[in-house]
């Protein structure tokens, strides 16, 4: 069964500090891994998409890593800002006959405090 | 100029009623999706349409029926609503292909009383 597990479930950090979120998955056949940011009351917004051959990708202060051998990914937030308070969702795409199917993790809720 | 829009944003209704949620995208995408986000915040795919044709249909009760009148629209009709249908429903769209980004709508919060 395809699964995506994220840790921690929630995280409180002070403004300006860094943090790292973890994602472990058992999804096959693997197609790509995505990180989304979801603000409260809004739809998810894509931060990064990584394929099998990519092991790091950045989007501003967000840097995602992927280890396809151990099936782990991380999202690092540098110099956090109040606007980073949101849920961060790891999503793994499996290649299926009909196209691609996404499996979502439960998310990590990040709260940045001044 | 919203990329993916959904209506209504909030929907409160009683058990047994039939309701519809509408979704429209103006991005020129050819694939559209419906997701359900439960109280634990897990997002699960319900349906996926490509060029108006159903390509993914997860284990969803047949009370849920998607309708795609054209590539830019994917509506969700729900019959005989149940308490367990209460959730946030998200529409999304993308180009067809394994690594194309999905763009999500703002969500519709459905509450069944």
């Amino acid at each position: 069964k395809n699964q995506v597990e994220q840790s921690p479930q929630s995280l409180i950090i002070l403004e300006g500090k860094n943090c790292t979120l973890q994602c472990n998955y058992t999804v096959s056949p693997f197609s790509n891994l995505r990180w989304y940011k979801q603000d409260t009351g809004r739809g998810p917004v894509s931060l990064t998409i990584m394929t099998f051959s990519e092991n790091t990708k950045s989007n501003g202060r967000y840097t995602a890593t992927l280890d396809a051998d151990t099936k782990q990914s991380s999202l690092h937030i540098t110099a956090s800002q109040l606007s980073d308070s949101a849920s961060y969702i790891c999503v793994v795409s499996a290649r299926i006959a009909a196209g691609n199917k996404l499996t979502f993790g439960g998310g990590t809720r990040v709260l940045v405090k001044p | 100029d919203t990329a993916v829009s959904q209506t209504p944003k909030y929907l409160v209704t009683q058990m047994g009623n039939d309701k519809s949620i509408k979704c429209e995208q103006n991005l020129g995408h050819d694939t559209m999706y419906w997701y359900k986000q439960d109280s634990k915040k897990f997002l699960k795919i319900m349906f996926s349409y490509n060029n108006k044709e159903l390509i993914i249909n997860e284990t969803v009760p047949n009370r849920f029926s998607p309708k795609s009148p054209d590539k830019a629209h994917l509506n969700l009709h729900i019959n005989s609503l149940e308490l367990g249908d209460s959730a946030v429903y998200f529409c999304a769209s993308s180009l067809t292909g394994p690594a194309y980004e999905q763009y999500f709508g703002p969500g519709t919060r459905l509450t069944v009383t």
Side-chain angles (χ1 to χ4, degrees), chain B residues 3-112:
Chain B
V4 182
S5 59
Q6 295 178 230
T7 54
K9 188 164 175 61
Y10 299 97
L11 184 53
V12 181
T13 187
Q14 291 184 328
M15 283 176 55
N17 285 348
D18 302 339
K19 290 293 178 186
S20 291
I21 306 172
K22 294 186 176 182
C23 176
E24 177 181 1
Q25 55 94 4
N26 62 5
L27 296 166
H29 291 162
D30 47 13
T31 303
M32 296 185 72
Y33 314 80
W34 275 109
Y35 289 90
K36 179 180 180 181
Q37 188 169 41
D38 60 25
S39 56
K40 293 186 178 179
K41 303 300 182 185
F42 276 93
L43 270 156
K44 288 186 180 177
I45 183 79
M46 299 174 68
F47 302 101
S48 170
Y49 267 74
N50 177 256
N51 285 317
K52 303 195 304 175
E53 287 191 24
L54 181 66
I55 58 172
I56 291 177
N57 182 353
E58 286 299 293
T59 312
V60 177
N62 56 15
R63 298 181 294 104
F64 290 78
S65 53
K67 292 274 192 313
S68 182
D70 55 58
K71 286 198 311 182
H73 295 84
L74 181 61
N75 303 323
L76 184 65
H77 188 76
I78 315 169
N79 288 329
S80 302
L81 278 155
E82 299 177 358
L83 292 176
D85 297 333
S86 295
V88 181
Y89 292 83
F90 286 99
C91 176
S93 73
S94 72
L95 292 171
T96 300
Y100 284 111
E101 185 177 330
Q102 288 191 16
Y103 291 81
F104 284 78
T108 295
R109 182 175 291 278
L110 171 64
T111 303
V112 182

Side-chain angles (χ1 to χ4, degrees), chain A residues 57-69:
Chain A
K57 189 168 258 190
S58 291
N59 178 356
R61 294 178 297 100
Y62 301 103
T63 299
T65 65
L66 172 64
D67 186 333
D69 291 331

Side-chain angles (χ1 to χ4, degrees), chain A residues 30-47:
Chain A
F30 178 86
S31 178
N32 58 71
L33 185 143
R34 308 159 186 232
W35 282 93
Y36 282 86
K37 178 186 179 188
Q38 185 175 19
D39 291 312
T40 301
R42 298 195 165 205
V45 174
S46 179
L47 294 175

